[in-house]
Amino acid sequence: METKGLVIVHTGEGKGKTTAALGMAVRAWGNGMRVLILQFIKGSWKYGELAAIKALSSVRPCIEIRQGGLGFSQRGAGAEDEHRSAVHALLQTAMDELCENTWDMIILDEFNYAYSFGFISLDDLEMLISKRLERTHLIFTGRNAPQELIDRADLVTEMRLVKHPFQKGIKAQKGIEF
Amino acid sequence: METKGLVIVHTGEGKGKTTAALGMAVRAWGNGMRVLILQFIKGSWKYGELAAIKALSSVRPCIEIRQGGLGFSQRGAGAEDEHRSAVHALLQTAMDELCENTWDMIILDEFNYAYSFGFISLDDLEMLISKRLERTHLIFTGRNAPQELIDRADLVTEMRLVKHPFQKGIKAQKGIEF
């Protein structure tokens, strides 16, 4: 069995992009793999996910999460520069980690969001994909995955919204929405 | 914040249906919720997932998985009856567990598959949904979610295949496909 790291994309307007990435992280951890999660938007992984990852990590410390971006809601004067530099710092972390044989899977959560705002260039994207070790899986999540990423990916899934509880007037529920 | 158990469906031809359910299970566990996973097809949750759930359970024993169905590949004389009775035994477990205040989330993995084979009736489906405590989330996974289920659901996501590695001739990869 050859090991070939895949470039995987979860995109679309529906739910489950980050949730399926969390599922992949957990499954990979269970398979003895080493998983790094990089958050391009602060707060996209909340208490429940963080507590579960901490618990897994206490059993075998091969899963780690690092926040790098700002929150979705940070706007106003200077916010764009702050967003850009937060994204670039995390991108640098990704590049550094990719070159080492430290991780079998790296999840770039909400990468697509940061890319669609112009904070990440096509050169950066190509470098991420080409610099990684052959065996490292890269998972990109977020709406509006750029065509350049889809072209370079091995596995692309679109999460399509068929029906949402807000449409029925039901409020956000703990453990589901957050 | 009212607690209203949602009926959630992951369907479609793409990947991520069971993986996102695993992610939801893990997030819910991290939020202090109690999660039961019922497998309508044996073997749909493999070593990696099982190891991770076991690890979480060793930290706080509020997550459990029970196999009830047969494997996808079991065919031949008598196989249909065996499938049907395996599904019915698991359905009975689901009904029993639903009435107790033991679980905050119950995942019925590959339920849609068992339903589409005619092993589960609409009456069974309606009973599952109506018998549960108001606060219990029910998650149904599998291709070909029946319209009767979609009609009764609060949140439905279709995982759509945009691109698959097999199309590029890449073999199944540990931690991704299994």
Side-chain angles (χ1 to χ4, degrees):
Chain A
M1 175 72 62
E2 73 195 291
T3 297
K4 161 142 178 47
L6 300 180
V7 174
I8 296 172
V9 180
H10 295 168
T11 192
E13 300 294 308
K15 295 190 65 72
K17 300 181 287 293
T18 290
T19 314
L22 170 63
M24 295 186 86
V26 165
R27 176 189 291 138
W29 180 93
N31 276 314
M33 294 162 73
R34 304 156 302 169
V35 184
L36 176 65
I37 298 148
L38 300 175
Q39 265 186 259
F40 280 82
I41 299 291
K42 190 174 152 185
S44 58
W45 292 55
K46 297 193 186 67
Y47 181 79
E49 295 91 311
L50 301 179
I53 287 170
K54 201 172 155 188
L56 291 178
S57 177
S58 75
V59 175
R60 194 170 51 79
C62 294
I63 186 164
E64 194 180 318
I65 183 160
R66 296 192 204 157
Q67 282 192 357
L70 302 179
F72 278 108
S73 58
Q74 261 142 310
R75 300 217 195 291
E80 192 180 318
D81 284 350
E82 278 180 56
H83 272 292
R84 188 179 297 275
S85 62
V87 164
H88 276 249
L90 194 61
L91 210 52
Q92 192 53 54
T93 302
M95 300 281 189
D96 295 345
E97 296 291 342
L98 274 171
C99 303
E100 307 290 328
N101 184 13
T102 319
W103 307 105
D104 301 300
M105 176 183 285
I106 300 183
I107 294 171
L108 303 136
D109 188 55
E110 295 292 358
F111 177 95
N112 301 345
Y113 183 87
Y115 191 95
S116 70
F117 266 76
F119 297 150
I120 300 172
S121 70
L122 178 57
D123 279 356
D124 292 330
L125 172 59
E126 284 188 328
M127 199 129 65
L128 275 176
I129 293 175
S130 63
K131 272 184 93 174
R132 81 188 201 281
L133 298 180
E134 179 70 13
R135 51 170 300 177
T136 309
H137 300 292
L138 279 189
I139 300 168
F140 297 82
T141 80
R143 300 177 177 216
N144 304 321
Q147 189 59 45
E148 307 90 91
L149 174 58
I150 291 173
D151 290 343
R152 286 158 181 80
D154 300 301
L155 173 58
V156 181
T157 306
E158 179 197 342
M159 276 64 173
R160 202 172 72 79
L161 178 71
V162 178
K163 195 174 186 182
H164 195 283
F166 297 166
Q167 294 165 351
K168 292 171 76 176
I170 300 169
K171 290 183 191 152
Q173 297 296 316
K174 181 176 161 184
I176 305 292
E177 302 288 331
F178 60 95
Chain B
M1 176 70 64
E2 72 194 295
T3 296
K4 161 141 179 49
L6 300 180
V7 174
I8 297 172
V9 179
H10 296 167
T11 192
E13 301 294 308
K15 294 189 66 70
K17 299 181 286 292
T18 290
T19 314
L22 171 63
M24 295 187 85
V26 165
R27 177 189 291 138
W29 179 92
N31 276 313
M33 293 163 72
R34 302 157 303 168
V35 184
L36 175 65
I37 298 147
L38 299 176
Q39 266 186 259
F40 280 83
I41 299 293
K42 191 173 152 184
S44 59
W45 292 56
K46 298 195 185 65
Y47 181 79
E49 294 91 311
L50 301 179
I53 287 170
K54 201 172 155 189
L56 291 179
S57 176
S58 76
V59 175
R60 193 170 52 80
C62 294
I63 186 165
E64 194 180 318
I65 184 161
R66 296 192 205 157
Q67 282 192 357
L70 303 178
F72 278 109
S73 56
Q74 262 142 309
R75 300 218 196 289
E80 194 180 315
D81 284 350
E82 278 181 56
H83 271 291
R84 189 180 296 275
S85 62
V87 164
H88 275 249
L90 194 60
L91 210 52
Q92 191 55 54
T93 302
M95 300 282 189
D96 294 344
E97 295 291 342
L98 274 171
C99 301
E100 308 289 331
N101 184 12
T102 319
W103 308 105
D104 301 299
M105 177 182 285
I106 300 183
I107 294 172
L108 302 137
D109 188 56
E110 295 292 359
F111 177 95
N112 302 345
Y113 183 85
Y115 192 95
S116 71
F117 267 76
F119 297 150
I120 300 172
S121 70
L122 178 56
D123 279 356
D124 292 330
L125 172 60
E126 284 188 328
M127 199 129 65
L128 276 175
I129 293 176
S130 62
K131 272 184 92 173
R132 80 189 202 281
L133 298 180
E134 179 70 14
R135 51 171 299 177
T136 309
H137 300 291
L138 279 189
I139 300 169
F140 298 83
T141 80
R143 301 178 177 215
N144 304 321
Q147 189 59 44
E148 308 90 91
L149 175 58
I150 292 173
D151 291 343
R152 285 156 181 82
D154 301 300
L155 173 60
V156 181
T157 305
E158 179 196 341
M159 276 65 174
R160 202 173 71 79
L161 179 72
V162 178
K163 196 173 184 182
H164 195 283
F166 297 167
Q167 295 165 350
K168 292 171 76 176
I170 300 168
K171 289 182 192 154
Q173 297 296 317
K174 180 175 160 184
I176 305 293
E177 302 288 330
F178 62 93

